[in-house]
Amino acid sequence: MSFRRICLAASLSAALWDASAAPVVLRVQKDTNTQPNGWSFSPAVSGNGRKVVFSTTATNFLPALANNPLLQYDVGTRQVQLLTPSNANGAQSRPAVSTDGRFVAFETLATNIPTGSTNGENTDILRFDTQTNLFLRASRAWNDSAGTPTPTNAAARSPAISGDGRYVMFTSTATNLLNGVATGGYTHLYQMDFSTGIVSMVDRTAQGAVGIGDVDLLESGALSADGSRIVFTTMAKNLATVFNGNVFDVLVGTRNAQTGGFVFQNVNRNVAGTIVGDRSSDRGAISANGRYVVFRTAGNNIHTTDSPSNLYVRDLVANSLHTVALPAGYQTCDRARVADDGSVLMQCSPTPPATVIQLFVATLGQAAPRLLTRNTQGGAGNATSNAFFTWSADGGVTAFESEASNLVTNDSNLNPDVFLAGEAALLDGLYADGFE
């Protein structure tokens, strides 16, 4: 199959999503003639758009692959690199990538990766340094040491990483991540600061009280690039001053530079802060620059106009709230990511009897979102594009998983693949070399 392999150039930071432009869609694969012979999934793109990390069951990207290893695809050099050992005895998934792609945080069940999982059936969170080839554990028990590793007593999930790789955040119900801290049986949000080697609980009040309620799994794009803001869904009602006692809320935590703790505000509220959403909100994500938060809610009382897509964008700088348009022929949108200019990448479900879920991009203030998952003739993909998709900081490069077989020509491997997409208008800053 023939399509263009893209390579990033300096102009990648130029404005994307020209209203007249259509995205170019490319498949991630080993080389021109080799289709992946298995399922590729769970992609994450670096903030600068140059590196894409993903899991795969395919065995023909590189020799001797097994147990869903993590691979990194370099968009500029067109090379695939194995990140986790080929003999890893457990699966790797849910990668999160630093701005330049050097650091990768991920979940693992493997027990034979250096500093890997030691707690059997529970996942751990590791950080891999692609320059030094060093693995470090983020989900580390308080009494863990190199000589006598101590396993956490419950799984750690859904990592998020700061742009420089210093901070890795994750969720866990483990009770031995901190010494002497009663977790109340809830799932909490934790942070590993690799500059100090210290694990701390994020969902705590300024007085040190732990959040009274579960924290949901983090979405891709939950942490700002500088690590100063984190977005998460929780039932806890003792963290923010404005909340609804009966529903899930999306909170944004802002780091206190003096104490290192976080101050929380509920984004599921009106601009004045006097009305809280009357329905649950969830699946929040933040732009890399920390300005915009996108979230989903079924409520209709936080804005003068109900958002047709159930998605809202809060501008934390301007203290404004924006609705997100719904594509024609679609009934709702679900998971979303937000770029540094407030543009939204979202997964939308069609009005029945149609069933194929597609990815769209919405620009604030414009009525019609644009289809991202286009086929080779400009129409929609012929199968669902799945829940794992990520954006570079400026929205220039999207990495996503799709079951569609018509996004690129001659896709006949009968497996979900990882694809890249970028605006055609950006091709003056990219070059094409006959990649297929």
Side-chain angles (χ1 to χ4, degrees):
M1 84 167 94
S2 291
F3 58 86
R4 288 167 289 185
R5 180 191 298 265
I6 61 173
C7 298
L8 304 184
S11 65
L12 185 60
S13 61
L16 255 333
W17 302 116
D18 181 343
S20 62
V24 172
V25 178
L26 316 167
R27 182 168 63 172
V28 172
Q29 59 189 62
K30 176 185 176 181
D31 57 37
T32 298
N33 299 311
T34 308
Q35 296 191 65
N37 63 1
W39 174 26
S40 297
F41 58 98
S42 194
V45 66
S46 59
N48 64 7
R50 292 194 63 90
K51 304 293 179 65
V52 178
V53 177
F54 60 100
S55 299
T56 187
T57 65
T59 59
N60 62 343
F61 275 103
L62 293 169
L65 297 183
N67 287 324
N68 301 358
L70 285 185
L71 303 181
Q72 184 180 77
Y73 175 71
D74 188 311
V75 183
T77 66
R78 307 180 292 278
Q79 298 297 312
V80 176
Q81 175 187 356
L82 178 65
L83 300 186
T84 52
S86 59
N87 65 340
N89 59 9
Q92 341 299 324
S93 61
R94 298 184 74 107
V97 189
S98 63
T99 297
D100 63 0
R102 173 177 175 176
F103 296 102
V104 179
F106 62 97
E107 295 180 5
T108 184
L109 279 167
T111 61
N112 62 339
I113 296 177
T115 72
S117 176
T118 58
N119 55 14
E121 297 180 355
N122 295 321
T123 53
D124 273 328
I125 305 298
L126 303 186
R127 189 195 73 170
F128 179 62
D129 185 335
T130 63
Q131 291 187 10
T132 66
N133 292 324
L134 179 66
F135 291 91
L136 294 176
R137 190 200 307 267
S139 55
R140 195 170 70 191
W142 70 269
N143 58 344
D144 185 67
S145 67
T148 56
T150 302
T152 55
N153 54 21
R157 300 291 312 279
S158 62
I161 194 168
S162 61
D164 61 0
R166 172 179 174 177
Y167 300 109
V168 171
M169 296 194 183
F170 58 93
T171 59
S172 182
T173 58
T175 60
N176 63 340
L177 285 161
L178 302 178
N179 185 20
V181 176
T183 64
Y186 297 116
T187 300
H188 290 287
L189 177 59
Y190 293 91
Q191 170 189 273
M192 164 60 87
D193 182 348
F194 280 102
S195 72
T196 64
I198 295 174
V199 175
S200 58
M201 184 184 290
V202 174
D203 57 320
R204 305 180 78 161
T205 68
Q207 293 73 38
V210 302
I212 306 174
D214 287 316
V215 173
D216 203 357
L217 294 176
L218 298 177
E219 290 290 313
S220 172
L223 186 62
S224 63
D226 64 1
S228 67
R229 282 181 166 158
I230 178 71
V231 174
F232 61 99
T233 301
T234 183
M235 280 290 289
K237 306 306 173 187
N238 62 330
L239 299 176
T241 57
V242 178
F243 60 87
N244 185 324
N246 300 312
V247 301
F248 282 97
D249 288 312
V250 172
L251 303 187
V252 56
T254 301
R255 190 185 302 274
N256 183 311
Q258 281 70 46
T259 67
F262 287 81
V263 177
F264 302 100
Q265 61 175 301
N266 190 342
V267 300
N268 185 27
R269 57 178 174 81
N270 67 347
V271 170
T274 56
I275 299 175
V276 183
D278 56 2
R279 303 281 184 89
S280 286
S281 59
D282 62 3
R283 294 179 176 170
I286 194 167
S287 58
N289 61 10
R291 174 168 181 170
Y292 298 99
V293 175
V294 63
F295 63 100
R296 182 183 70 162
T297 181
N300 57 13
N301 66 330
I302 62 173
H303 196 280
T304 55
T305 303
D306 187 24
S307 181
S309 65
N310 291 335
L311 297 175
Y312 292 85
V313 173
R314 181 170 293 280
D315 185 336
L316 300 175
V317 174
N319 188 31
S320 57
L321 186 66
H322 306 269
T323 61
V324 179
L326 183 69
Y330 288 76
Q331 63 179 356
T332 187
C333 297
D334 194 345
R335 286 181 167 87
R337 313 290 180 248
V338 61
D340 281 349
D341 65 354
S343 297
V344 174
L345 172 66
M346 56 191 181
Q347 183 188 51
C348 298
S349 299
T351 303
T355 60
V356 177
I357 297 171
Q358 307 286 357
L359 298 183
F360 288 84
V361 173
T363 301
L364 297 184
Q366 294 187 9
R370 290 168 296 287
L371 179 66
L372 179 80
T373 45
R374 292 173 178 262
N375 63 30
T376 53
Q377 287 74 45
N382 61 4
T384 288
S385 292
N386 297 320
F388 289 99
F389 53 91
T390 63
W391 236 359
S392 59
D394 64 357
V397 176
T398 304
F400 64 96
E401 173 193 341
S402 183
E403 301 171 26
S405 62
N406 66 340
L407 299 180
V408 297
T409 57
N410 301 324
D411 184 347
S412 58
N413 66 352
L414 303 178
N415 285 301
D417 290 303
V418 169
F419 296 88
L420 303 180
E423 282 295 343
L426 202 64
L427 289 181
D428 59 354
L430 311 173
Y431 67 86
D433 67 354
F435 175 48
E436 66 176 75

